[in-house]
Amino acid sequence: MLNNIGLPGILLIAVVVLVLFGRGKISSLMGEVGKGITSFKKGINEGTAELEQEAADEAKDVTPEAEAVTEKDKV
């Protein structure tokens, strides 16, 4: 059904939506959608950074305990 719409159908739907909701309502709705997308991307980046920080914290000390003790004795 949706693969038969074509360009004239899409334009007709856009005109009907514009008439029903008005330009101001659609503009504010698109602004909210943009803010939501920005917030989502920010959350994804923060989550990724947090996971990378945890992995870096776990990987900082890879020296076995036996070698760590001998290093301290030498100093």
Side-chain angles (χ1 to χ4, degrees), residues 2-63:
L2 292 178
N3 53 358
N4 294 332
I5 290 179
L7 185 60
I10 292 175
L11 290 176
L12 179 64
I13 292 171
V15 168
V16 169
V17 168
L18 186 61
V19 168
L20 288 177
F21 295 108
R23 193 181 73 174
K25 185 77 169 179
I26 293 173
S27 175
S28 66
L29 180 65
M30 289 299 120
E32 292 298 322
V33 169
K35 288 178 185 176
I37 291 171
T38 302
S39 176
F40 179 76
K41 286 182 180 180
K42 183 179 177 184
I44 293 293
N45 289 337
E46 287 176 356
T48 303
E50 183 178 320
L51 289 175
E52 289 175 353
Q53 181 63 34
E54 289 176 3
D57 289 344
E58 290 177 6
K60 280 184 181 178
D61 187 19
V62 293
T63 308

